[in-house]
Amino acid sequence: MFVQILFYAFSAVLIAAALGVILSRNPVHSALALVLAFFTSAALWLLIEVEFLAIVLVLVYVGAVMVLFLFVVMMLDINVEGLRSGFTRYAWLGALTALVVIVQMVSVYWVKGLGIDATQGAPPLPADYSNTRALGEVLYTQYVYPFELAAMLLLVAIVAAIALTMRRRPGLKAQDVAKQVAVRREDRVRIVKDVDAGGTGPGAGGGTGEGGAR
Amino acid sequence: MSGLLEIWGTLPAYAQATFWILVVTVALILSVAFTTLWERKVIGWMQLRKGPNRVGSIFGLLPGIFQPFADVIKLLLKEVVLPSKANKWLFRVAPAITLVPAFAAWAVMPLDPGLVIADIDAGLLYVLSLTSVGVYGIILAGWAANSKYAFLGAMRSSAQVVAYEIAMGFALVGVVMAAGTLNLGDIVRAQQGGVGDWFFIWLFPLFVVYLIAGVAETNRAPFDVAEGESEIVAGFHVEYSGIAFALFFLAEYANMILISALTAVFFLGGWLSPFEGLLAADNALAKPGFHWLFLKLFFFLTCFMWYRATFPRYRYDQIMRLGWKVLIPVTLVWIAVAAVMVHFRVGPWSPN
């Protein structure tokens, strides 16, 4: 009962947040609504005891992806009017997508009517069952090669993204830190012999010490 | 006393958890208050000053002990100025968003051999995901204030936090490999057996990286370009006043305490005693307990102040260079070394 109340509460927030993503006029508000949507989805996942995926959803999407997203959205001066001018051109595509989603939802309900209850949750797991451990055991044994391949693919994508967007601007006065660290005293300071030593110059009274670096 | 314990035992689990949540939260708020005083005192001593010594004393001892309360009362009574062009709602919410994760992360902190509020297996991921949420408050504060300086501070802060989070996460990968678990309590237990088994010896480069990244994550000196009072006045919180500003202040110090506690748990054996194995097992000094965690936490917290009094502020490009080109490669190398050590059972740990 309590779980059901939680489920409906989180679902309501999730739907409201999802609507906020597409209905908000301010792109920053949209991005924040998306953050809220991720959070509530994570809470829903916690309800079905997949705590690892829920936490990773928050860690990856909320903690990293959306921060960068927000970063970009705030920097850009997005012209909302310009974006909306072609809105009706793709209206048929949107309507089609909505129709497909509705058909999917109805079919889930239809399957339930046949007596095969696909919406029934899995039986509660024993208290010592660890989602994180179970996932790790499968991921690093049975699926280790696909996992490594995916990692390599991501690495290649990162390198490619940097290689494509990196531009070397001429005339930059950036410092070469290695050179700065490697510099020795002899490169910067030149000791000249004090010609005034013992003479009548302004440094006469101070002895030889004052005739140091010129 | 035993009667009380009996009553305690009959309480349902959620009541006990609520009690501990209240205790931890109140203790944290008080610690934050006194951390501000301790910081001003420590920096004062380092600069041959006395620090705050006017407000209150306990029978002539500890002059200035009530300074935090005077500060809080002053900030509470001040007006919270709302800039006319600000995004009103986000402007008000932002301080709370920075503060909440700093407190919520304590839910999985192993405080004592038998005491952790939520003993979950993905505890380390939980901490990482919560600390990464805190940056939203800073970004939103900078954006919602509709001020150039605030926005600059927010941009700097978000880029910096994202960069150092990677180094921080990689440093923790080494800890996870050594401990063989993501559960913070089990990470502490994996370091059992005396100082020689603590991870800071075997994972020393990762320990140093974690310390540096922790300072950068909390936007503290020498990585405090997000505030940068000499260039952008006060950065993201330049438009905040009164208690709204105090919330940012509270969040910064709560984050410092959190990072100090996490460093102690990950690398210095949390609540384990440093004399374990050296003294007899029934010696009071060899027993584990919250006081050891507190001492370690206090040491790192004081280090934060020490850095602030010692180092000049990094330039922005230097921060980025350090994060991406120095810290991340160091962690990558030591993760490989740790993998070899775990595989050949070099070092004190035995996975699983």
Side-chain angles (χ1 to χ4, degrees):
Chain A
M1 186 60 203
F2 182 60
V3 175
Q4 273 196 334
I5 294 173
L6 279 182
F7 173 78
Y8 284 114
F10 282 127
S11 305
V13 175
L14 177 57
I15 291 170
L19 284 176
V21 175
I22 52 172
L23 293 180
S24 168
R25 288 182 180 275
N26 189 329
V28 173
H29 289 177
S30 291
L32 289 174
L34 192 55
V35 171
L36 183 62
F38 282 136
F39 249 114
T40 37
S41 321
L44 284 179
W45 286 4
L46 275 181
L47 283 184
I48 53 170
E49 298 180 8
V50 281
E51 79 274 359
F52 181 80
L53 287 180
I55 293 174
V56 167
L57 180 74
V58 173
L59 179 61
V60 175
Y61 280 93
V62 176
V65 174
M66 286 311 292
V67 170
L68 294 176
F69 211 83
L70 209 58
F71 191 90
V72 173
V73 167
M74 283 176 175
M75 300 267 271
L76 295 176
D77 193 16
I78 294 174
N79 181 5
V80 183
E81 286 307 307
L83 278 176
R84 295 197 175 206
S85 60
F87 196 63
T88 47
R89 262 177 60 203
Y90 300 105
W92 63 273
L93 194 64
L96 193 69
T97 316
L99 196 71
V100 170
V101 172
I102 289 171
V103 167
Q104 284 176 333
M105 285 179 174
V106 169
S107 60
V108 167
Y109 207 73
W110 180 69
V111 167
K112 196 179 176 186
L114 288 179
I116 315 158
D117 195 353
T119 57
Q120 182 74 46
L125 296 156
D128 60 338
Y129 174 81
S130 166
N131 200 273
T132 315
R133 169 173 285 273
L135 204 70
E137 272 169 4
V138 182
L139 201 58
Y140 296 117
T141 53
Q142 198 176 344
Y143 296 105
V144 66
Y145 288 116
F147 180 75
E148 297 279 322
L149 277 177
M152 279 314 289
L153 200 64
L154 283 174
L155 183 65
V156 171
I158 293 169
V159 173
I162 293 173
L164 285 175
T165 53
M166 178 106 160
R167 57 198 165 99
R168 293 205 180 276
R169 283 177 293 173
L172 271 187
K173 294 196 173 163
Q175 294 146 323
D176 188 341
V177 180
K179 268 188 195 164
Q180 285 183 321
V181 172
V183 81
R184 291 281 146 261
R185 177 172 155 274
E186 292 75 42
D187 305 335
R188 296 283 163 86
V189 183
R190 187 164 55 94
I191 309 283
V192 290
K193 202 168 161 61
D194 190 352
V195 288
D196 284 341
T200 53
T208 51
E210 284 184 36
R214 285 267 164 95
Chain B
M1 186 63 202
S2 61
L4 272 179
L5 277 177
E6 260 172 44
I7 298 173
W8 173 251
T10 58
L11 285 176
Y14 66 85
Q16 292 185 356
T18 313
F19 170 78
W20 282 118
I21 290 171
L22 279 177
V23 168
V24 168
T25 313
V26 171
L28 260 183
I29 292 174
L30 282 177
S31 319
V32 166
F34 284 105
T35 308
T36 60
L37 176 67
W38 178 242
E39 166 160 51
R40 291 168 70 181
K41 277 285 185 191
V42 167
I43 293 184
W45 293 329
M46 285 181 181
Q47 297 168 347
L48 299 181
R49 297 183 283 113
K50 281 182 191 298
N53 65 349
R54 297 288 103 181
V55 188
S57 64
I58 299 171
F59 302 119
L61 297 169
L62 301 168
I65 188 76
F66 295 126
Q67 182 70 40
F69 301 107
D71 290 343
V72 168
I73 292 168
K74 186 194 81 172
L75 286 166
L76 271 173
L77 294 177
K78 278 191 160 187
E79 182 189 356
V80 179
V81 181
L82 204 61
S84 58
K85 289 280 174 71
N87 188 319
K88 306 254 174 339
W89 195 75
L90 288 180
F91 189 80
R92 290 201 183 100
V93 162
I97 297 180
T98 26
L99 189 60
V100 169
F103 280 82
W106 283 83
V108 293
M109 187 70 69
L111 299 168
D112 197 71
L115 176 60
V116 47
I117 295 173
D119 191 14
I120 59 172
D121 272 344
L124 192 143
L125 288 174
Y126 171 83
V127 168
L128 273 182
S129 61
L130 271 184
T131 48
S132 65
V133 167
V135 70
Y136 277 99
I138 293 176
I139 301 179
L140 289 180
W143 184 79
N146 212 348
S147 148
K148 286 193 179 67
Y149 287 159
F151 191 61
L152 277 173
M155 290 289 112
R156 287 178 175 195
S157 175
S158 52
Q160 175 181 324
V161 169
V162 168
Y164 279 80
E165 217 153 68
I166 298 172
M168 201 174 203
F170 274 150
L172 293 185
V173 167
V175 173
V176 170
M177 281 162 59
T181 172
L182 288 168
N183 185 318
L184 295 195
D186 290 343
I187 288 177
V188 172
R189 266 170 227 117
Q191 303 177 56
Q192 239 154 11
V195 178
D197 290 357
W198 291 358
F199 288 158
F200 83 100
I201 293 176
W202 300 90
L203 304 171
F204 189 72
L206 299 182
F207 170 63
V208 174
V209 166
Y210 189 83
L211 266 187
I212 298 173
V215 180
E217 285 273 296
T218 47
N219 285 322
R220 289 281 301 182
F223 298 99
D224 58 344
V225 287
E227 289 181 34
E229 54 276 280
S230 57
E231 316 132 45
I232 51 173
V233 198
F236 62 93
H237 60 60
V238 65
E239 302 286 353
Y240 282 86
S241 59
I243 199 67
F245 162 75
L247 286 183
F248 279 117
F249 209 67
L250 197 64
E252 180 179 325
Y253 283 81
N255 273 321
M256 277 163 60
I257 297 176
L258 177 68
I259 293 286
S260 307
L262 287 175
T263 316
V265 165
F266 292 142
F267 295 100
L268 265 83
W271 36 255
L272 291 173
S273 160
F275 301 109
E276 195 186 355
L278 295 176
L279 299 171
D282 56 344
N283 195 314
L285 275 176
K287 289 218 170 68
F290 172 72
H291 50 287
W292 293 118
L293 178 65
F294 181 81
L295 281 179
K296 292 163 190 172
L297 188 161
F298 188 71
F299 170 73
F300 286 119
L301 201 57
T302 310
C303 281
F304 270 94
M305 290 144 201
W306 190 7
Y307 306 145
R308 182 173 166 193
T310 312
F311 293 120
R313 182 177 296 137
Y314 264 110
R315 215 175 49 214
Y316 189 67
D317 62 312
Q318 291 171 330
I319 291 184
M320 283 297 138
R321 181 180 168 278
L322 181 71
W324 289 103
K325 293 188 179 172
V326 179
L327 296 190
I328 292 178
V330 166
T331 53
L332 285 177
V333 168
W334 208 260
I335 285 174
V337 175
V340 173
M341 287 200 285
V342 168
H343 187 75
F344 292 104
R345 306 277 170 111
V346 185
W349 49 67
S350 52
N352 303 321

